[in-house]
């Protein structure tokens, strides 16, 4: 009868140990820390050859409990993922369709941008050529204005020189000399 009383205690200890293993597995997964699991597995490892046979059974049972808890958690997580996917399947499908529409719209925008760029280049090229011609004409106009100014100054100088010549013909040397000095200071 004593043996029957010991058996429920062993089952209670096994249930508590399995709960502890399941909690350790869940904590290891949630915290991404397998240290407690390793300690749990290594607790069952024998320290010497004499204790090896009984300890192997305990360590093997602990490892099997961990494997069992990991498999149960994997199945549970797989089911959660399937449930989420089933709940949001229509949302996912509409998002994929929206992304396809966006890709098509993006392609259309690229084509429009390319057409606009080609049109801009086609209309911009003559405009750029006209701008270059205008710049060249402005340079020529500047040169013509400079030439006209030089001609005007040369004309004034020639008129003054003619005046000097008339004064020399009239033998008015001092006045001719004063006019030459004025020409030299102003025009030369």
């Amino acid at each position: 009868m004593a043996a029957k009383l010991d058996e429920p205690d062993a089952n209670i200890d096994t249930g508590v140990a399995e709960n502890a293993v399941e909690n350790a597995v869940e904590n290891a997964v949630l915290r991404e820390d397998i240290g407690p699991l390793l300690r749990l597995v290594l607790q069952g490892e024998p320290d010497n050859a004499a204790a090896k046979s009984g300890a192997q059974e305990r360590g093997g049972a602990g490892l099997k409990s961990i494997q069992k808890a990991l498999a149960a958690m994997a199945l549970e997580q797989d089911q959660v993922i399937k449930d989420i996917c089933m709940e949001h399947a229509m949302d996912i499908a509409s998002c994929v369709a929206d992304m396809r529409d966006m890709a098509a719209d993006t392609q259309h925008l690229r084509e429009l941008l390319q057409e606009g760029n080609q049109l801009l280049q086609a209309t911009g090229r003559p405009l750029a050529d006209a701008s270059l011609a205008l710049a060249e004409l402005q340079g020529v106009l500047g040169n013509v204005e400079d030439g006209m100014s030089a001609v005007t100054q040369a004309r004034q100088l020639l008129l003054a020189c003619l005046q000097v010549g008339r004064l020399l013909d009239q033998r008015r040397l001092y006045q001719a000399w004063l006019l030459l000095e004025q020409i030299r200071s102003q025009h030369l």
Side-chain angles (χ1 to χ4, degrees), residues 138-156 158:
Q138 285 176 337
V140 168
L141 179 63
N143 290 340
V144 167
E145 288 174 350
D146 290 343
M148 287 177 60
S149 174
V151 167
T152 303
Q153 287 177 358
R155 183 174 177 254
Q156 290 172 353
L158 284 175

Side-chain angles (χ1 to χ4, degrees), residues 7-186:
E7 287 178 14
D9 287 341
N11 286 338
I12 290 173
D13 288 342
T14 304
V16 169
E18 284 182 9
N19 281 341
V21 168
E22 287 176 11
N23 287 337
V25 167
E26 286 179 17
N27 285 333
V29 170
L30 291 175
R31 295 185 184 145
E32 296 181 4
D33 179 19
I34 62 168
L37 284 179
L38 290 175
R39 281 191 290 278
L40 194 63
V41 169
L42 294 177
Q43 282 176 353
E45 291 293 317
D47 289 342
N48 58 32
K52 205 174 198 180
S53 63
Q56 271 185 339
E57 290 174 12
R58 281 193 324 248
L63 187 57
K64 286 181 182 178
S65 296
I66 291 171
Q67 288 174 339
K68 187 176 172 183
L70 285 171
M73 182 175 272
L75 286 174
E76 180 182 320
Q77 292 299 316
D78 188 43
Q79 188 60 42
V80 167
I81 291 170
K82 285 179 183 177
D83 290 345
I84 290 172
C85 289
M86 291 302 285
E87 284 179 24
H88 300 290
M90 291 306 294
D91 292 339
I92 292 170
S94 68
C95 286
V96 169
D98 288 347
M99 286 175 34
R100 284 185 187 142
D101 291 343
M102 281 191 257
D105 290 344
T106 302
Q107 183 61 33
H108 181 68
L109 285 174
R110 283 185 183 148
E111 291 168 0
L112 288 175
L113 180 63
Q114 187 175 13
E115 289 173 11
N117 186 22
Q118 291 172 351
L119 180 63
L120 181 62
Q121 287 181 6
T123 57
R125 198 173 314 262
L127 183 61
D129 292 343
S131 175
L132 290 174
L134 178 63
E136 186 177 328
L137 287 175
Q138 285 176 337
V140 168
L141 179 63
N143 290 340
V144 167
E145 288 174 350
D146 290 343
M148 287 177 60
S149 174
V151 167
T152 303
Q153 287 177 358
R155 183 174 177 254
Q156 290 172 353
L157 179 63
L158 284 175
L159 288 175
C161 288
L162 283 173
Q163 183 67 28
V164 168
R166 278 188 229 126
L167 289 172
L168 285 174
D169 285 343
Q170 296 172 1
R171 300 264 183 218
R172 297 169 51 189
L173 298 176
Y174 181 72
Q175 290 171 342
W177 178 76
L178 286 176
L179 189 55
L180 279 175
E181 287 300 317
Q182 182 183 4
I183 290 171
R184 186 179 300 160
S185 68
Q186 288 179 2

